Amino acid sequence: MDWTRILSDGLRSGLGINAAVYALAAVGLNLQYGYTGLMNYGQAGFLLVGAYGTAVTVDQWGLPLPLAFLFGIAAAVGFGLLLGLPTLRLRADYLAIVTISAAEILKLLVNTRQAQGLTGGPQGINGFANDFFEWNPIAQGRYGFGAVKFSHRDLWVILVTWALVVVVTFVMRRLVHSPWGRVLRAIREDEDAVRSLGKNVVAYKMQSLVLGGAIGGLAGIMLVMDKQFVEPKLFESALTFFVYALLILGGLARLMGPIAGGMLFWFFVSGSQGFLIEAVDNKFLGIHHVLQTDDIGPVRFMIVGLLIMVLVVFRPQGAFGSRDDVRLR
Amino acid sequence: MSGANESTLSSEVAAARAALRMVTGEPGVAKPDSILIADGMQRNFGGLAAVDVAHLEIPRHAITALIGPNGAGKTTLFNLLSGFDTPTAGHWSFDGHQIEGLRAYRIAQLGMVRTFQLTKALNGLTVLENMLLAARDQTGESLVGAFRPRKWRRQDAEHRTRAMDLLHRFKLDSKADDFAATLSGGQKKLLEMARSLMVEPSLVMLDEPMAGVNPALVESLLEHVQGLRDEGRTVLFVEHDMDVVMTISDWVVCMAEGSVIAEGTPESVAANAEVIDAYLGRVAGES
Ligand SMILES: Nc1ncnc2c1ncn2[C@@H]1O[C@H](COP(=O)(O)OP(=O)(O)O)[C@@H](O)[C@H]1O
Ligand SMILES: [Mg+2]
């Protein structure tokens, strides 16, 4: 058993692009669900809209990438408004149903033959991210420590995405500690109480949904910058649930929750994958009798799922949450 | 407030109360100066007419008690008037504004603030945060204003002074930094009432404010309610305890089975045969 390999697999992933993208998506979801109590089960849809908005803008109209980023985010804002308008006046569960359905519909829609001219259908779009890598100031080479190394290309995307996570987290800190954030936390508790005090609850919920969705859109953009192509399969509903899982792992309604959660989640996913590969190869504890190399992909998520269940039982507040907060709610 | 203004105010309140005593006590009677006027209010739940009030006026600068047996429709009427429920039919106006169809938060902004029979203290916020939340016109409450911390911190500090004053009045000041969840049921009622005052309402609507409040506190609570009137506010409150009603109210409205069956001064309503019937009938029916 090569334990350093297992550990460095975990670390590479915990610091890598997936962790950063998921953390960014989770910052948005944390605002919506953690602070405001909005059940957005379609965060994957917001990532999709941001990603396709950017890719299509470059691919179809040849506009420069920075402008395309703005288009992608604007599309996510529009998506948020569209979902919020009919649902935010209704009971909380309506938003949940509408967001999850809308995300699924979008994924099917970009896949259709009719949309193929614009979205490339199942083949997707590529070649729109070239400029992003031309901006890369990092000299060619491999960077890191021990077995945890990244190419200059990967390091560039990773650094930009983590930098975005940090910037957005600072913005969140401003917001959630302000009177605006106080209204959101109050809405999470009891909307009617907040209404009775003269606050326009629907407008606040809309702002939270749209802002969180725009951050999700940004996460989608960075996801497809890394891949250098976009296809419908990247935006399965599982993505949304992974983001929920890592948010609970890191601590709901905590500023550091998404960051800690993103890192821990991907550390465990890749660490358990590394562990299983090593264990099967080395016939460790007889695991090779029950598991073949092909099974490892799904089984690692089962292990992470179990870890989360254990965590919810023994530490419901997540890595960064405070126990009081969980009890009081 | 200057002394001159205060004395004008107190003579205004006294005049309003004196004028009210001249009004004949009968359901739907007009008042010399009404802050809230409702017409043809109806709310049906399936076949049940929970509220069916032909005409009701709430007199300004007075304490009006809304009484009636359980299920009479008092809470439903509160919900309708404050925009938390939509009537089957009806018009109503507050302080000269036609407010039917307005959303609840707009009605509150106009100065008509209600509390809830089932307390809605915000448990995950501290007692002080509950109070600060309710202040009006906060810069930091908007998405843009949130990025002007110097401005909103100064406002918060001003509001904190007023909030601590109110908390002191309601004997909650020592709890200011505790989560509202740690309060007793009665204390939550008090917090909800104090919080509604942060909105600086001209009409305060309290749904069973004394229910569950420590009896030792009730007396001072009654003084606060009278204090609200003497500050120039109008109070409408739902109450079951007839002693309380007799002690502090200037006017009493009695509902039964959705309609107003009597109104008048506390003495006249207490002596009203229909009112006694409604209560006794209910008690007899229940046993
Ligand atoms: N949401 C509702 N759905 C159905 N019936 C209701 C609802 N709210 C109140 N009612 C009924 O309307 C009547 C009046 O209730 P309520 O206004 O709560 O009375 P009160 O506050 O005077 O005790 C009761 O018979 C009650 O059961
Ligand atoms: Mg009631």
Side-chain angles (χ1 to χ4, degrees):
Chain A
M1 287 295 281
D2 185 353
W3 290 98
T4 32
R5 184 188 151 190
I6 296 169
L7 190 67
S8 44
D9 275 0
L11 280 176
R12 195 181 311 112
S13 187
L15 299 171
I17 185 65
N18 278 334
V21 165
Y22 279 56
L24 195 53
V27 175
L29 188 67
N30 200 24
L31 179 66
Q32 297 164 333
Y33 181 63
Y35 289 101
T36 323
L38 297 175
M39 288 186 276
N40 168 20
Y41 288 138
Q43 189 68 333
F46 284 94
L47 272 80
L48 181 153
V49 170
Y52 272 94
T54 299
V56 168
T57 307
V58 175
D59 186 58
Q60 292 283 319
W61 307 309
L63 293 176
L65 198 52
L67 205 60
F69 284 172
L70 291 182
F71 271 56
I73 292 168
V77 167
F79 186 54
L81 290 171
L82 203 68
L83 297 188
L85 276 176
T87 53
L88 290 180
R89 278 169 210 280
L90 306 175
R91 260 192 3 231
D93 16 357
Y94 287 86
L95 180 70
I97 296 163
V98 167
T99 46
I100 194 169
S101 327
E104 281 299 309
I105 290 169
L106 270 182
K107 200 188 74 198
L108 296 172
L109 202 67
V110 293
N111 212 11
T112 55
R113 195 158 357 106
Q114 285 76 8
Q116 206 154 9
L118 207 60
T119 64
Q123 278 79 47
I125 309 172
N126 52 44
F128 55 85
N130 298 342
D131 279 355
F132 181 79
F133 292 96
E134 280 178 19
W135 302 332
N136 185 357
I138 304 166
Q140 193 146 6
R142 292 187 68 75
Y143 299 83
F145 48 92
V148 185
K149 283 217 156 51
F150 301 103
S151 71
H152 67 292
R153 179 220 173 265
D154 287 352
L155 188 63
W156 169 236
V157 202
I158 291 168
L159 284 180
V160 171
T161 311
W162 277 122
L164 286 170
V165 172
V166 170
V167 169
V168 173
T169 301
F170 270 103
V171 172
M172 279 304 130
R173 191 171 77 155
R174 252 289 119 87
L175 284 174
V176 302
H177 290 148
S178 74
W180 185 81
R182 186 162 63 205
V183 178
L184 295 195
R185 281 183 294 134
I187 289 174
R188 179 184 73 190
E189 248 357 88
D190 191 327
E191 290 184 17
D192 279 344
V194 181
R195 272 195 188 98
S196 77
L197 301 171
K199 317 288 175 195
N200 186 351
V201 168
V202 175
Y204 280 101
K205 291 203 288 188
M206 185 63 99
Q207 289 165 17
S208 171
L209 178 67
V210 166
L211 190 55
I215 296 168
L218 192 58
I221 294 173
M222 293 318 296
L223 175 68
V224 297
M225 285 299 114
D226 175 59
K227 305 261 185 249
Q228 293 188 271
F229 90 107
V230 60
E231 60 170 346
K233 276 211 300 256
L234 295 174
F235 306 99
E236 300 289 349
S237 281
L239 170 62
T240 301
F241 297 115
F242 289 157
V243 175
Y244 267 94
L246 75 87
L247 193 52
I248 289 162
L249 204 58
L252 267 178
R254 292 280 137 180
L255 285 168
M256 294 308 283
I259 298 178
M263 289 180 167
L264 287 174
F265 181 82
W266 282 101
F267 175 83
F268 286 135
V269 169
S270 298
S272 57
Q273 168 168 296
F275 170 79
L276 291 171
I277 292 174
E278 283 286 313
V280 171
D281 286 357
N282 295 302
K283 309 196 176 358
F284 182 68
L285 296 176
I287 283 181
H288 61 287
H289 293 303
V290 284
L291 216 63
Q292 266 130 41
T293 317
D294 298 351
D295 304 328
I296 289 173
V299 169
R300 63 187 175 150
F301 283 111
M302 294 183 202
I303 292 181
V304 175
L306 273 174
L307 275 174
I308 289 172
M309 284 193 244
V310 170
L311 179 102
V312 167
V313 172
F314 291 103
R315 201 179 154 77
Q317 69 272 41
F320 270 83
S322 89
R323 187 125 204 171
D324 281 350
D325 208 31
V326 180
R327 276 226 202 91
L328 293 178
R329 249 188 271 161
Chain B
M1 236 183 270
S2 76
N5 273 342
E6 244 170 67
S7 68
T8 347
L9 180 65
S10 64
S11 59
E12 212 176 291
V13 172
R17 293 174 67 196
L20 191 58
R21 295 201 71 85
M22 301 289 114
V23 175
T24 330
E26 59 184 28
V29 67
K31 316 288 183 320
D33 183 12
S34 300
I35 192 166
L36 182 67
I37 303 175
D39 270 300
M41 302 296 292
Q42 285 183 9
R43 177 65 165 109
N44 300 331
F45 292 116
L48 173 84
V51 165
D52 184 3
V53 171
H55 186 84
L56 180 63
E57 299 191 7
I58 305 301
R60 194 192 306 275
H61 291 322
I63 299 174
T64 302
L66 180 58
I67 64 169
N70 267 326
K74 307 179 295 292
T75 297
T76 305
L77 182 62
F78 260 41
N79 289 344
L80 296 178
L81 295 173
S82 58
F84 278 84
D85 190 10
T86 315
T88 314
H91 307 279
W92 66 109
S93 68
F94 168 68
D95 217 2
H97 304 273
Q98 208 62 38
I99 57 169
E100 68 222 41
L102 278 194
R103 320 224 310 115
Y105 82 94
R106 287 287 304 139
I107 292 178
Q109 284 176 350
L110 287 172
M112 176 170 157
V113 177
R114 57 88 53 96
T115 65
F116 297 86
Q117 181 174 355
L118 299 170
T119 345
K120 291 184 181 291
L122 297 158
N123 288 329
L125 272 60
T126 67
V127 168
L128 184 59
E129 281 180 317
N130 264 273
M131 297 293 285
L132 294 178
L133 170 75
R136 279 171 183 263
D137 300 324
Q138 303 182 49
T139 305
E141 253 179 8
S142 78
L143 204 41
V144 180
F147 291 96
R148 301 178 62 191
R150 216 168 293 149
K151 177 129 193 234
W152 67 250
R153 288 218 173 90
R154 198 167 54 232
Q155 281 183 345
D156 253 20
E158 284 163 18
H159 295 148
R160 182 167 297 140
T161 314
R162 199 153 61 84
M164 288 308 293
D165 260 11
L166 281 167
L167 289 179
H168 181 73
R169 264 210 248 168
F170 289 90
K171 302 209 165 44
L172 289 170
D173 46 337
S174 64
K175 295 271 188 185
D177 294 321
D178 297 350
F179 281 112
T182 63
L183 300 182
S184 70
Q187 285 174 318
K188 286 183 184 176
K189 278 258 161 201
L190 296 179
L191 172 61
E192 204 186 347
M193 189 164 155
R195 187 178 67 191
S196 73
L197 298 178
M198 283 299 286
V199 191
E200 305 202 74
S202 45
L203 172 61
V204 197
M205 299 169 61
L206 307 168
D207 200 347
E208 304 199 14
M210 323 290 173
V213 173
N214 182 343
L217 264 176
V218 165
E219 193 154 338
S220 69
L221 192 58
L222 295 186
E223 281 167 26
H224 297 322
V225 173
Q226 285 172 305
L228 296 179
R229 175 193 58 203
D230 299 336
E231 291 167 15
R233 301 185 209 280
T234 303
V235 180
L236 173 64
F237 77 115
V238 174
E239 184 51 56
H240 284 297
D241 186 336
M242 278 315 278
D243 283 341
V244 167
V245 171
M246 297 302 288
T247 318
I248 64 163
S249 38
D250 301 304
W251 193 258
V252 179
V253 175
C254 179
M255 283 180 78
E257 291 170 9
S259 311
V260 174
I261 56 163
E263 52 173 307
T265 57
E267 307 80 53
S268 70
V269 169
N272 184 302
E274 275 191 78
V275 173
I276 295 166
D277 244 26
Y279 273 96
L280 293 181
R282 178 73 184 204
V283 171
E286 268 171 3
S287 54

